[in-house]
Amino acid sequence: MNHTYPRTFSHIGISVKDLDAAVKFYTEVLGWYLIMPPTTITEDESAIGEMCTDVFGAGWEHFRIAHLSTGDKIGVEIFEFKNQEDPQDNFEYWKTGIFHFCVQDPDVEGLAEKIVAAGGKKRMKAPRFYYPGEKPYRMIYMEDPFGNILEIYSHSYELTYSAGAYQSGK
């Protein structure tokens, strides 16, 4: 029998205009570990240079990158490209592609305030409950200081959805 094994998540890549500020934010506010400090990668004949040309095509010239890791060992690559542009609308959720990532913290409200204090913003007035009056599972959409959308969950993904968060009738 050929069963598909559920793959684990390795890492995500996030683009920002200010790599140093992003490393500071993600290490100090979210507590992620800095694995490789900001490094400049140049378009050249090196193994990493050729690999990046395969990915980005010719003419990328150079970029800066830092590698971080979450508490559950997920990698986070933060990129700063030359001529980095902010999108006109950073929350085009109706377009194909990734439009947010989510972190977990039992103190949703506390982390939301830390993000705001560090220059981010709330995308919702206050956290919402998945099961009001029944379970303490909460969430809120936020924006980091660099325009990336992040969500905060109070509990694990499995706990939140295994009970049927979208069941109605109450």
Side-chain angles (χ1 to χ4, degrees):
M1 291 213 66
N2 185 4
H3 295 286
T4 301
Y5 184 82
R7 294 347 186 253
T8 55
F9 205 91
S10 172
H11 69 275
I12 61 170
I14 301 172
S15 287
V16 299
K17 274 187 162 177
D18 185 338
L19 182 63
D20 299 303
V23 167
K24 181 176 168 55
F25 173 81
Y26 285 116
T27 57
E28 292 180 5
V29 177
L30 295 187
W32 293 348
Y33 305 112
L34 181 62
I35 303 300
M36 187 183 92
T39 303
T40 299
I41 307 295
T42 304
E43 185 174 10
D44 58 21
E45 303 302 314
S46 68
I48 189 70
E50 290 184 353
M51 181 194 320
C52 291
T53 298
D54 284 349
V55 174
F56 303 126
W60 55 273
E61 294 179 25
H62 59 83
F63 65 86
R64 295 178 71 223
I65 186 170
H67 294 266
L68 291 80
S69 181
T70 68
D72 56 345
K73 304 174 186 167
I74 301 302
V76 180
E77 297 174 340
I78 305 178
F79 293 82
E80 176 190 303
F81 293 96
K82 69 177 180 74
N83 304 322
Q84 187 102 22
E85 294 178 18
D86 288 332
Q88 284 191 311
D89 182 352
N90 66 340
F91 195 53
E92 295 179 320
Y93 57 86
W94 62 92
K95 290 188 176 178
T96 301
I98 296 168
F99 69 89
H100 77 280
F101 64 90
C102 184
V103 297
Q104 184 180 318
D105 189 315
D107 183 8
V108 171
E109 298 79 5
L111 181 55
E113 292 310 319
K114 278 181 81 172
I115 290 169
V116 169
K121 52 182 139 174
K122 292 181 182 177
R123 298 289 308 213
M124 300 165 62
K125 280 186 261 181
R128 289 265 184 190
F129 283 81
Y130 275 96
Y131 310 90
E134 218 180 300
K135 294 185 175 152
Y137 304 166
R138 301 175 318 290
M139 60 75 71
I140 189 169
Y141 267 76
M142 303 291 297
E143 188 174 314
D144 74 11
F146 319 101
N148 296 296
I149 307 300
L150 69 133
E151 185 178 13
I152 308 169
Y153 268 23
S154 60
H155 292 73
S156 74
Y157 191 80
E158 292 86 354
L159 272 178
T160 300
Y161 291 102
S162 63
Y166 300 137
Q167 290 176 357
S168 59
K170 290 196 174 182

